Amino acid sequence: MRLWLVRHAQPLIGKGICYGQLDMKADMQATQDCAQALAAVLPEKIIVAASPLQRCGQLALALSVIRPALAIKQDARLQEMHFGNWEDRSWSSLPKDELDAWTEDFAGYPAGQTGENVTQFMGRVAAAFDELPTGQDTLWITHAGVIRAAQLLANGVRRVDRATQWPGDAPSYGQWCTLDIQSSSGRA
């Protein structure tokens, strides 16, 4: 089976702002462009789940208008990582000692002191990943962090202890990638 991972379009927020679960809209034209391109390549029969954050909800709605036969369900496990007190602040303004603490204890330090730690985040995404239906293509309308976590999970990585283990690459806004998921991929 194939897991399609699409990232929402450009959010309407300034550059350099931390916005994990901060909820905001995405650029409408970019969302429409993504939905058009995605609708043209998706298989006829595909299960679709979307993060409930509105930047993903916009894309889910635009896709459903083009492909009304798609049944799209919301899944809170597909939300971006929660960055706690760092949400809606510029990355450059965050205290160095907090960022250092996060990278030194990447698995256990709660982002922004009140958010999720990477172990919690990976566990949340893994719960959705483990429920992927065998033999049925699935599309997740989601965020860069979730896509990175899914890439790790597809390679059998369930725990990330060091920041250097976290993937740097993810699709750009409004782009997607696919993962061929095999029963030997480490899924429980």
Side-chain angles (χ1 to χ4, degrees):
M1 61 108 6
R2 180 169 284 168
L3 175 60
W4 295 69
L5 299 161
V6 63
R7 186 177 181 190
H8 58 80
Q10 173 73 50
L12 299 177
I13 193 166
K15 277 191 170 290
I17 302 296
C18 178
Y19 62 89
Q21 288 189 17
L22 184 65
D23 203 10
M24 83 285 296
K25 292 183 179 182
D27 179 90
M28 189 51 87
Q29 186 59 56
T31 297
Q32 292 295 329
D33 293 345
C34 175
Q36 287 284 345
L38 188 59
V41 298
L42 284 177
E44 280 300 311
K45 294 187 179 201
I46 190 165
I47 295 169
V48 184
S51 161
L53 297 176
Q54 62 182 318
R55 54 195 185 265
C56 292
Q58 283 177 254
L59 180 53
L61 179 61
L63 185 60
S64 71
V65 168
I66 300 165
R67 299 270 304 268
L70 293 176
I72 301 172
K73 67 173 187 152
Q74 285 190 352
D75 189 335
R77 298 172 299 182
L78 303 183
Q79 292 182 86
E80 184 59 275
M81 184 170 171
H82 191 286
F83 287 99
N85 292 327
W86 297 345
E87 299 271 351
D88 204 19
R89 293 175 59 191
S90 70
W91 282 100
S92 62
S93 74
L94 301 181
K96 183 181 179 333
D97 62 327
E98 286 184 32
L99 290 171
D100 289 345
W102 185 42
T103 57
E104 288 171 17
D105 181 15
F106 201 61
Y109 186 85
Q113 297 181 332
T114 60
E116 287 178 290
N117 65 44
V118 172
T119 300
Q120 292 168 324
F121 177 65
M122 285 291 294
R124 174 165 56 82
V125 177
F129 185 85
D130 291 343
E131 291 178 9
L132 289 170
T134 304
Q136 177 70 52
D137 284 357
T138 301
L139 167 67
W140 286 358
I141 300 172
T142 191
H143 311 269
V146 173
I147 293 170
R148 290 177 177 117
Q151 291 168 336
L152 289 167
L153 292 163
N155 287 311
V157 177
R158 297 238 157 209
R159 182 175 168 90
V160 177
D161 292 311
R162 295 182 314 279
T164 57
Q165 294 173 290
W166 193 252
D169 292 332
S172 298
Y173 296 116
Q175 300 296 307
W176 59 87
C177 64
T178 60
L179 300 174
D180 288 320
I181 308 295
Q182 307 300 321
S183 58
S184 61
S185 68
R187 288 176 42 190

